[in-house]
Amino acid sequence: MEKEDLKVLNKGEEEELELQGYRLCRWRLALVGLGVLFTGGFLLLLLYWMPEWCVKSTCTRTTARDAEVVLLRSTDEFRRWFLARVRVMLAPGRNPFHSLETQTTSPSSPSCPFSSPPLANGHTPHPSDGNPDQELFRRYADYQPTQGRLKLHSIQYIRYFTFHSTTYYWSDEVQNFGDLTGLEDLQVSCSTLHSEHSAGLTRNQQEYRRLFFGVNEIAVKVPSVFKLLIKEVLNPFYIFQLFSVILWSADEYYYYAVAILFMSIISIATSLYTIKKQYIMLHDMVATHSVVRVSVCRPNNEIEEILSTDLVPGDVMVIPSNGTIMPCDAVLVSGTCIVNESMLTGESVPVTKTNLPDPLPGDRGEDNDSVFNTEEHKRHTLFCGTHVIQTRFYTGDLVKAVVVCFSTAKGQLVRSILYPKPTDFKLYRDAYLFLLCLVAIAGIGFVYSIVLSIMNKVPAKTIIIESLDIITITVPPALPAAMTAGIVYAQRRLKNLGIFCISPQRINICGQLNLVCFDKTGTLTEDGLDLWGVQRVENGSFHLSEENAYKENLVKSQFVACMATCHSLTKIEGQLSGDPLDLKMFEATGWILEEATEEETSLHNRIMPTVVKPPKQLLPPEPAVTPEQDMELYELSSAHEIGIVRQFPFSSALQRMCVVARLLGEKRMDAYMKGAPEIVASLCKKDTEGYTKEGFRVIALAHRRLESKLSWHKVQNISRDHIEANMEFLGLIIMQNKLKAETPAVLEDLRQASIRTVMVTGDNMLTAISVARDCGMIPPQDTVIIADALPPHDGQAAKITWRYADKASQTSHLEEVNITLDDVCHIDEPKKQELYHFAMNGKSFAVISEHFPDMLQKLVLHGTVFARMAPDQKTQLIEALQGVDYFVGMCGDGANDCGALKRAHGGISLSELEASVASPFTSRTPNISCVPSLIREGRAALITSFCVFKFMALYSIIQYISVTLLYSILSNLGDFQFLFIDIAIILLIVFTMSLNPAWKDLVSRRPPSGLISGPLLFSVLTQILICLGFQTITFLWVRQQPWYTVWTPLSDACNNSSHINKFGHNDTEIDDHNIQNYENTSLFYVSSFQYLVVAIVFSKGKPFRQPSYKNWPFVLSALTLYVFLLFIMFYPVKAIDEFLEIVCVPFDWRVKLFLIILVNAAVSVVMETFILDIVLWKLVFSRDKQGSFGVTPVAPTPQGGIDLRYYKCLTRLCCPSRMTPKARYMHLAQELRVDPDWPPKPTTTTEAKTLPENGSTYQIMKNS
């Protein structure tokens, strides 16, 4: 038996997991139990935080088949560990598709790959969990009416575990755990769905399948406050705070302990409220219409009403005529439905769903009878969460749908919200490293204090408390609250701007964004399309363009007939509804649409057509009727009505739609088609480019007269390919998609800030390029290279053909924008480089991703337009950009952008639809002006986080230095000194220094992404050395003063008798902690001013935040503290001195202390402001400027040019060797600038290699 086997779950999917099997070991459990006992429960906490340690310390390895516990590890970049308990379920069969009537102990049906079937993604586990074996046996013992009682040996033991609301079952066939989603796993063909699965299930079958599939419900359980509290309190930071509070209480430092406890309670309460609120919102969103009453068919033609939670795959639902919210994924087997799929697509456009085709027995070949797949057959599938608006049924047939899938898109969306991936950001990783450094420093102090105390024979209790206390000094327990403050303030400012955030930690990441992807329609441009004009074709040539088709001379033309019939419009409660483009096109004709009523369709067969006709005023006048003419024949001949006999819906894969129609009184039928020009006809390719390049959306129309032998019945079963052949080109409809007013200015702001912009759209390539030029995404003088990729075909390798799009006309308004690149290019390179942008469609992107993986990275470096992109391709593009180290933002307006919005570092949804709940940010302003606002606030929040972290680090180190110096004379800071420093100075400063608002402009320089960077480390280390130096000077210098003696209550260094009286009542009281002495008082004064000095020098303003002097709470707090400290230093107050346990020192020493403080402040300010900000900041951070490495540089201002030259000179002085950029995209940019074959020339083709040589997967060749 191979025990070290490693299984892979969900192979190739987003949630791919490695699985190892373990069996519980009793002696290990006993040892761990003892360890927990001896460590006071700390070991249990450690095992809770580390699942891998927990499993390996309590279990032994075994095979996955025999596992009692499985250890799971994600295969993504985070490599997270999880554990799950394996359970056993009893069932009367080994898979849910067994026929109960023929149940035996034979193996499971070969048609199902799982002998141990799983539950569905996103649905609650089955109700049998925890049921006693005997109850299960009794419940299913009478399932076989023909074979008597169920025998004991037919009961099956099925092993499973649940992880992230998905249940995985063991399969003997594949020797692995796996999940089962429904009928799709049976690989059923369309004809089989009709013949074997459209009759319905018996109650016994339904109950049996429910054992495996569980309750049909997306369950979002709202955890109790107690559970959330326990989970929140077990956070390592809160455990450390609890440890600190206990330690301080033992040291009788109650005041700060209470303060920290109070802050922790407030923080936990706020966190609990937010988490609970999000759970309730998600629960309410999911629960709406998730449990409804539905009618299902039984095999004996009975209709039974049940709850939707009782549905299982294979049930046949009856869709009510007044519509419903779909509780599952189901495929239509009879009738048609009009569905609103805004939950999935983001477009509130009714979609017509037709029944799944049922090929005749003679036509059931591989081509005509494909295996059912929800993606391929989505025009026939009703998806969970979508709203069925209305149904149509014919000849008394009910509208029926077979439940096919429990792994629904809605369930996956909810799971992705419930179990998000952790935020990977360098700041947070560096913060932990920084904390480890502080812990190391604390460790040194810990050992130092123990050794010193032992040498001085200090009592054991004091040694323990003081040595542990130095750890709480070095690692400040208030750090989490301090770090959160800036993010909370930023979240509040974003809310005031109309931007709502459900993931506050993402605000910091938005400060690093250097590339933003935009959807086009509804984001960059207006939602609606306006009809700009039409251009008809007659006799193979184009007419001049016309403004509209609402003309008498066109009313009976095939062009207008195509506009009036080739659409998917329907009437809902008397109002025309459908795709906005279809609506605009139909309204332009002025025609009238009439549909059969529900009563009519129930009496007639399915060929009862939808009729369109022009208004009477558009029809030419007819001669008066003569008495001898038959009135009915006259009306028939004068009417011009067209019936839509069959509709082939629009397919994004085919990029066209088609209808078969018949003119009233005509024997032959007509086929009308509309779609993308390049698809509809080859002749339109060159003739339509002029319009698509001007930013219009061009729709081509085509027509064909069908053969007279095609009857109405034959048309219902004919294939689409037969209809859509040999079409006659009719002309073009030209729709205009206007830019939103704010778009050009926002994109210009982003460009000036060195933030790349990319368009990701489902629209036509040339239209997208035109819009990109119009909005300034592609400057008019830049070249656009279109990459057309073809997959391998007939033994030929995959290849990319490069063609250059024409540049914008010289009359373009973009000519007014003055863009010069001389300053940048002349410094970097001796010659000017021509700038270029790549454009490609979704098909090419898919081919390049699969066959040219290393080419893809080079293309995304300059890729600006990605057209005809499917939702999953948008997500893949985001991942590709992140793969070359871009910080990517995504701005979209629909749920079809949902995957990309989730995957991006900062996703901003312009829609408040429920599907966009997964987006970290949602803007109430329906334009892209929210993007710069979010980046500005992100930068401000990021700089605030750096300032606060640096300040808290310096605070702990300054206090650590003071305490360490005082430990050397067996002294310490007093409780009220600690209290004054920790609350009056630190907390007040931290919570006010975070209030600086964002700077009003976006600058081209980005803030650093992590704490472990040269300038930041230089800043912190220099300030530490400065503080250490001046405290050490103070400590040593005070001992050299002529008046210095070891302080006692009778000491009179001030020559002031009042001070003898002041402490006279204490002369018999022994000060165990030796707090009152000259060293303590001197270090207290100097260190108190040091906290304020570093707060001011670290509180950065421009260019990412408003200057600190505009932050009046911070200025007021700092001034108040300065005045107070100077006052008590120069004018001692008896009550304050007693409270803070400071002693009187001579006036001349106070003046010397003041001079030490002044010099300290001057050195700190000069070092931080001049050395760091002017020299090192520009030297290091300018490396992040994209223009320095040839990646879409921006036009610099004259001052910017001077700064850049200065930076270059400084670089040559300080770093003679060529700097190596950190980001992958910068490496690529440098490589491509010296590559003679890049960018590809218009006369070249790139072919994939079957066996890559030298690491390359392609070769570039010239076309012959």
Side-chain angles (χ1 to χ4, degrees):
M1 180 177 65
E2 181 61 46
K3 289 194 174 185
E4 299 299 318
D5 60 334
L6 185 73
K7 305 293 183 183
V8 178
L9 300 182
N10 309 320
K11 193 163 188 177
E13 297 178 22
E14 185 180 348
E15 202 176 75
E16 188 177 89
L17 297 162
E18 294 172 352
L19 179 146
Q20 300 170 24
Y22 284 85
R23 185 182 291 277
L24 287 168
C25 177
R26 289 183 181 179
W27 66 265
R28 290 192 181 196
L29 278 169
L31 280 178
V32 169
L34 287 172
V36 170
L37 200 63
F38 289 135
T39 58
F42 180 72
L43 180 60
L44 195 63
L45 273 175
L46 201 62
L47 296 182
Y48 170 78
W49 293 329
M50 311 288 287
E52 181 195 9
W53 294 7
C54 179
V55 172
K56 290 184 176 179
S57 62
T58 57
C59 304
T60 53
R61 278 297 298 270
T62 185
T63 59
R65 177 191 175 88
D66 301 321
E68 294 177 357
V69 176
V70 289
L71 184 62
L72 305 165
R73 191 179 193 186
S74 63
T75 57
D76 56 21
E77 66 272 25
F78 303 106
R79 305 290 287 169
R80 293 171 295 161
W81 292 95
F82 307 94
L83 65 88
R85 199 60 200 272
V86 178
R87 302 181 185 276
V88 176
M89 180 182 81
L90 293 178
R94 297 182 69 190
N95 81 61
F97 302 112
H98 268 168
S99 171
L100 291 172
E101 285 73 19
T102 58
Q103 172 91 32
T104 65
T105 56
S106 63
S108 61
S109 168
S111 61
C112 180
F114 288 92
S115 59
S116 300
L119 300 187
N121 290 352
H123 291 73
T124 49
H126 49 71
S128 62
D129 287 3
N131 281 2
D133 295 352
Q134 292 302 316
E135 184 184 338
L136 271 174
F137 179 79
R138 286 196 301 271
R139 184 175 179 183
Y140 295 101
D142 56 354
Y143 261 18
Q144 298 182 32
T146 58
Q147 297 184 15
R149 306 291 288 178
L150 186 68
K151 294 182 181 177
L152 183 62
H153 58 73
S154 65
I155 290 288
Q156 303 292 326
Y157 289 84
I158 298 168
R159 305 171 66 80
Y160 71 94
F161 69 88
T162 303
F163 173 71
H164 283 180
S165 299
T166 304
T167 303
Y168 298 88
Y169 278 63
W170 176 257
S171 165
D172 283 327
E173 279 76 6
V174 295
Q175 287 293 301
N176 197 1
F177 286 93
D179 65 335
L180 189 76
T181 57
L183 293 183
E184 276 191 65
D185 290 293
L186 291 176
Q187 299 286 302
V188 291
S189 64
C190 296
S191 59
T192 307
L193 259 174
H194 277 279
S195 60
E196 297 180 15
H197 297 278
S198 60
L201 301 176
T202 64
R203 290 184 187 87
N204 281 351
Q205 286 174 322
Q206 187 188 55
E207 212 167 311
Y208 169 63
R209 288 191 184 184
R210 200 181 309 129
L211 205 87
F212 294 91
F213 289 104
V215 178
N216 174 42
E217 184 181 22
I218 301 173
V220 179
K221 293 181 180 176
V222 179
S224 65
V225 173
F226 179 74
K227 279 187 178 179
L228 287 174
L229 179 65
I230 295 299
K231 190 175 180 181
E232 189 71 16
V233 166
L234 293 181
N235 182 297
F237 272 118
Y238 289 126
I239 295 296
F240 179 67
Q241 284 181 331
L242 180 65
F243 162 76
S244 303
V245 166
I246 293 169
L247 182 68
W248 294 329
S249 301
D251 197 23
E252 298 178 359
Y253 184 33
Y254 300 116
Y255 304 98
Y256 191 55
V258 170
I260 287 292
L261 194 63
F262 177 73
M263 278 200 311
S264 299
I265 290 169
I266 295 293
S267 175
I268 290 170
T270 306
S271 180
L272 287 184
Y273 173 76
T274 306
I275 295 168
K276 182 91 172 175
K277 187 179 175 184
Q278 287 180 2
Y279 267 111
I280 291 170
M281 282 174 60
L282 186 59
H283 175 270
D284 292 346
M285 183 199 88
V286 172
T288 307
H289 308 296
S290 66
V291 180
V292 294
R293 296 200 73 85
V294 294
S295 298
V296 294
C297 298
R298 298 297 181 201
N300 54 2
N301 292 324
E302 283 183 17
I303 304 294
E304 183 183 344
E305 196 173 84
I306 62 172
L307 285 175
S308 59
T309 50
D310 293 333
L311 288 171
V312 295
D315 268 325
V316 177
M317 283 179 65
V318 177
I319 312 295
S321 58
N322 59 347
T324 185
I325 301 288
M326 287 301 296
C328 58
D329 286 358
V331 60
L332 273 174
V333 289
S334 66
T336 60
C337 292
I338 297 163
V339 184
N340 183 337
E341 293 189 328
S342 62
M343 203 290 295
L344 297 179
T345 64
E347 306 291 336
S348 295
V349 176
V351 179
T352 302
K353 300 282 186 173
T354 57
N355 61 294
L356 188 73
D358 184 14
L360 297 171
D363 297 331
R364 291 180 182 174
E366 287 186 11
D367 296 333
N368 295 328
D369 193 14
S370 58
V371 171
F372 173 76
N373 179 279
T374 50
E375 185 60 34
E376 289 180 17
H377 296 94
K378 60 184 177 184
R379 280 288 170 185
H380 315 292
T381 307
L382 306 173
F383 292 101
C384 178
T386 58
H387 183 199
V388 178
I389 302 169
Q390 117 185 354
T391 64
R392 292 181 190 166
F393 54 92
Y394 305 92
T395 334
D397 283 346
L398 296 173
V399 179
K400 297 177 183 177
V402 178
V403 179
V404 289
C405 186
F406 265 27
S407 180
T408 64
K410 185 176 179 181
Q412 296 283 15
L413 174 63
V414 174
R415 286 180 67 242
S416 68
I417 298 168
L418 283 173
Y419 310 106
K421 282 191 174 183
T423 305
D424 181 33
F425 190 38
K426 197 169 183 290
L427 170 67
Y428 304 127
R429 281 181 276 130
D430 287 357
Y432 285 113
L433 285 174
F434 211 88
L435 281 175
L436 286 175
C437 293
L438 291 178
V439 169
I441 293 169
I444 296 168
F446 179 78
V447 173
Y448 165 77
S449 64
I450 289 176
V451 171
L452 202 64
S453 299
I454 291 171
M455 287 171 64
N456 289 280
K457 299 179 181 178
V458 175
K461 181 187 174 185
T462 309
I463 293 175
I464 293 168
I465 289 174
E466 290 192 349
S467 57
L468 289 175
D469 192 36
I470 208 160
I471 294 174
T472 65
I473 288 170
T474 317
V475 184
L479 182 61
M483 291 287 284
T484 306
I487 296 172
V488 171
Y489 297 148
Q491 193 174 4
R492 191 174 66 189
R493 289 194 296 268
L494 283 173
K495 189 175 181 181
N496 293 335
L497 293 170
I499 301 170
F500 296 90
C501 173
I502 62 169
S503 180
Q505 297 301 324
R506 296 261 182 164
I507 297 174
N508 273 342
I509 302 178
C510 288
Q512 274 295 304
L513 296 184
N514 55 1
L515 184 148
V516 184
C517 295
F518 293 96
D519 182 33
K520 183 179 78 69
T521 308
T523 303
L524 297 173
T525 62
E526 298 288 353
D527 255 327
L529 290 163
D530 296 318
L531 184 72
W532 182 85
V534 296
Q535 190 165 31
R536 296 181 296 118
V537 167
E538 281 186 13
N539 301 321
S541 61
F542 281 97
H543 281 252
L544 292 173
S545 59
E546 301 162 273
E547 285 188 16
N548 59 61
Y550 191 78
K551 296 178 181 178
E552 284 188 17
N553 63 323
L554 297 181
V555 72
K556 292 190 177 182
S557 67
Q558 296 289 4
F559 186 88
V560 171
C562 187
M563 289 178 68
T565 58
C566 198
H567 53 71
S568 57
L569 300 178
T570 187
K571 278 196 172 180
I572 298 172
E573 296 180 356
Q575 294 292 319
L576 268 183
S577 185
D579 187 281
L581 187 146
D582 285 352
L583 269 172
K584 288 282 183 185
M585 181 182 74
F586 185 76
E587 286 168 358
T589 64
W591 283 39
I592 301 160
L593 182 140
E594 293 178 351
E595 284 183 329
T597 63
E598 190 177 309
E599 292 76 16
E600 289 171 332
T601 56
S602 63
L603 295 172
H604 297 81
N605 60 21
R606 67 176 63 244
I607 59 176
M608 184 71 182
T610 296
V611 174
V612 293
K613 61 182 181 182
K616 287 183 179 179
Q617 61 268 28
L618 272 185
L619 290 170
E622 294 288 340
V625 60
T626 58
E628 60 269 16
Q629 282 181 311
D630 189 315
M631 195 65 176
E632 281 190 24
L633 287 174
Y634 170 76
E635 285 181 359
L636 191 64
S637 64
S638 62
H640 188 78
E641 295 184 1
I642 303 176
I644 302 171
V645 178
R646 174 121 190 246
Q647 186 185 91
F648 297 96
F650 176 80
S651 164
S652 56
L654 300 174
Q655 296 181 33
R656 64 180 183 268
M657 81 165 289
C658 180
V659 295
V660 177
R662 179 177 170 182
L663 181 63
L664 185 64
E666 287 282 335
K667 288 184 178 180
R668 293 174 70 179
M669 291 184 236
D670 298 276
Y672 296 103
M673 180 168 67
K674 82 170 193 303
E678 65 268 29
I679 300 297
V680 171
S682 58
L683 81 94
C684 74
K685 280 187 178 175
K686 59 181 179 181
D687 295 310
T688 63
E689 283 188 4
Y691 290 107
T692 56
K693 286 174 186 171
E694 293 300 323
F696 299 112
R697 184 167 179 180
V698 178
I699 306 296
L701 305 183
H703 161 259
R704 176 185 161 205
R705 195 94 160 127
L706 296 179
E707 299 85 352
S708 56
K709 65 180 181 181
L710 277 178
S711 66
W712 283 25
H713 290 281
K714 285 183 180 177
V715 165
Q716 301 308 316
N717 296 309
I718 199 168
S719 71
R720 183 170 188 163
D721 293 337
H722 183 81
I723 295 289
E724 294 176 343
N726 303 314
M727 306 289 280
E728 177 190 349
F729 191 72
L730 291 177
L732 306 168
I733 301 172
I734 303 150
M735 315 290 285
Q736 191 172 20
N737 196 193
K738 294 178 182 175
L739 280 176
K740 289 184 177 179
E742 302 82 5
T743 298
V746 170
L747 294 180
E748 176 62 17
D749 287 346
L750 295 175
R751 195 182 67 83
Q752 291 289 348
S754 294
I755 297 171
R756 266 189 69 193
T757 51
V758 171
M759 184 189 295
V760 193
T761 178
D763 205 348
N764 173 281
M765 167 78 76
L766 292 174
T767 304
I769 292 172
S770 167
V771 172
R773 286 197 185 276
D774 286 348
C775 66
M777 199 175 277
I778 299 176
Q781 73 275 12
D782 289 4
T783 303
V784 177
I785 306 171
I786 299 173
D788 288 324
L790 296 172
H793 183 66
D794 294 336
Q796 295 184 344
K799 63 181 180 179
I800 308 171
T801 304
W802 308 96
R803 57 190 177 95
Y804 281 42
D806 294 337
K807 290 191 179 181
S809 62
Q810 294 303 310
T811 58
S812 170
H813 70 278
L814 285 171
E815 197 175 59
E816 298 171 10
V817 181
N818 183 21
I819 300 172
T820 59
L821 301 165
D822 295 343
D823 290 338
V824 175
C825 296
H826 285 175
I827 293 168
D828 271 341
E829 293 289 326
K831 60 172 185 172
K832 182 179 177 181
Q833 279 193 316
E834 184 179 10
L835 297 182
Y836 56 91
H837 304 258
F838 287 109
M840 69 188 78
N841 60 26
K843 288 181 179 177
S844 296
F845 180 81
V847 172
I848 293 168
S849 299
E850 184 177 355
H851 300 284
F852 302 87
D854 51 343
M855 170 74 77
L856 182 64
Q857 290 194 338
K858 297 179 181 180
L859 289 177
V860 297
L861 194 66
H862 288 273
T864 303
V865 175
F866 296 85
R868 301 286 192 209
M869 296 285 278
D872 59 325
Q873 289 176 328
K874 291 183 180 183
T875 307
Q876 290 164 16
L877 174 63
I878 299 290
E879 289 172 344
L881 290 164
Q882 290 172 335
V884 291
D885 296 340
Y886 276 112
F887 283 91
V888 185
M890 172 71 196
C891 184
D893 68 331
N896 56 330
D897 301 315
C898 205
L901 289 168
K902 283 187 298 178
R903 175 63 69 217
H905 291 108
I908 316 154
S909 171
L910 303 185
S911 162
E912 293 186 59
L913 292 171
E914 60 175 10
S916 293
V917 73
S919 178
F921 302 94
T922 301
S923 171
R924 277 191 176 168
T925 309
N927 60 61
I928 63 170
S929 60
C930 60
V931 175
S933 300
L934 179 61
I935 296 173
R936 284 191 296 106
E937 288 297 344
R939 289 180 173 186
L942 187 56
I943 289 297
T944 298
S945 294
F946 286 132
C947 294
V948 168
F949 203 97
K950 286 162 63 179
F951 175 67
M952 292 300 286
L954 258 294
Y955 145 63
S956 60
I957 295 297
I958 290 169
Q959 201 167 80
Y960 173 80
I961 293 167
S962 302
V963 170
T964 306
L965 288 171
L966 291 173
Y967 272 11
S968 67
I969 58 167
L970 299 183
S971 180
N972 200 351
L973 291 172
D975 284 357
F976 289 101
Q977 289 176 341
F978 273 124
L979 193 67
F980 175 76
I981 292 168
D982 293 342
I983 292 180
I985 297 180
I986 302 306
L987 293 186
L988 188 62
I989 290 296
V990 158
F991 289 122
T992 54
M993 77 186 297
S994 304
L995 286 169
N996 289 37
W999 184 244
K1000 58 183 181 295
D1001 298 320
L1002 271 180
V1003 295
S1004 59
R1005 192 172 74 193
R1006 285 187 299 132
S1009 59
L1011 288 164
I1012 313 299
S1013 62
L1016 288 177
L1017 288 177
F1018 178 83
S1019 169
V1020 171
L1021 290 173
T1022 51
Q1023 294 300 329
I1024 287 173
L1025 291 174
I1026 290 166
C1027 293
L1028 173 64
F1030 281 97
Q1031 281 203 49
T1032 306
I1033 289 169
T1034 304
F1035 182 78
L1036 296 175
W1037 199 7
V1038 70
R1039 298 166 72 91
Q1040 303 300 319
Q1041 297 305 305
W1043 47 264
Y1044 175 82
T1045 58
V1046 176
W1047 187 89
T1048 67
L1050 298 176
S1051 297
D1052 187 18
C1054 297
N1055 295 318
N1056 189 340
S1057 60
S1058 66
H1059 279 79
I1060 298 174
N1061 297 332
K1062 171 178 159 185
F1063 293 107
H1065 66 282
N1066 267 349
D1067 55 358
T1068 57
E1069 188 178 317
I1070 299 171
D1071 181 7
D1072 290 336
H1073 296 288
N1074 186 25
I1075 303 300
Q1076 294 171 328
N1077 53 62
Y1078 298 121
E1079 292 91 340
N1080 170 288
T1081 300
S1082 301
L1083 287 178
F1084 172 74
Y1085 282 133
V1086 171
S1087 65
S1088 294
F1089 279 102
Q1090 283 181 339
Y1091 299 125
L1092 295 175
V1093 168
V1094 294
I1096 289 167
V1097 298
F1098 283 163
S1099 189
K1100 304 284 184 184
K1102 192 177 174 182
F1104 304 118
R1105 302 196 306 167
Q1106 296 282 0
S1108 292
Y1109 61 79
K1110 289 189 176 182
N1111 180 358
W1112 66 264
F1114 173 69
V1115 172
L1116 187 64
S1117 301
L1119 279 176
T1120 304
L1121 287 166
Y1122 268 121
V1123 170
F1124 175 77
L1125 287 168
L1126 286 171
F1127 177 76
I1128 64 170
M1129 191 167 81
F1130 285 105
Y1131 300 96
V1133 177
K1134 180 180 177 182
I1136 296 174
D1137 284 359
E1138 286 180 353
F1139 179 79
L1140 293 175
E1141 297 181 82
I1142 53 180
V1143 300
C1144 185
V1145 292
F1147 186 80
D1148 64 329
W1149 177 241
R1150 294 177 209 158
V1151 173
K1152 288 175 183 176
L1153 284 178
F1154 182 64
L1155 290 175
I1156 290 172
I1157 291 161
L1158 281 180
V1159 175
N1160 185 347
V1163 173
S1164 292
V1165 169
V1166 168
M1167 187 61 70
E1168 185 74 15
T1169 306
F1170 179 76
I1171 303 294
L1172 181 75
D1173 285 357
I1174 295 179
V1175 180
L1176 284 174
W1177 187 282
K1178 288 191 177 183
L1179 180 66
V1180 178
F1181 290 161
S1182 293
R1183 291 166 60 182
D1184 281 343
K1185 290 182 74 170
Q1186 296 173 3
S1188 303
F1189 295 97
V1191 185
T1192 321
V1194 299
T1197 59
Q1199 181 61 42
I1202 294 166
D1203 287 345
L1204 194 57
R1205 290 190 185 94
Y1206 170 72
Y1207 154 69
K1208 289 290 179 185
C1209 296
L1210 196 60
T1211 303
R1212 292 191 182 97
L1213 287 172
C1214 300
C1215 307
S1217 60
R1218 179 72 173 169
M1219 288 191 306
T1220 305
K1222 293 180 182 178
R1224 172 74 179 145
Y1225 67 86
M1226 292 181 178
H1227 278 288
L1228 282 169
Q1230 281 189 345
E1231 290 171 12
L1232 294 179
R1233 292 177 70 177
V1234 295
D1235 187 345
D1237 294 326
W1238 197 264
K1241 304 297 183 289
T1243 57
T1244 56
T1245 297
T1246 304
E1247 282 196 0
K1249 289 181 182 178
T1250 50
L1251 293 173
E1253 297 172 16
N1254 302 324
S1256 176
T1257 58
Y1258 61 87
Q1259 58 181 349
I1260 299 175
M1261 328 181 267
K1262 287 190 178 180
N1263 290 340
S1264 54

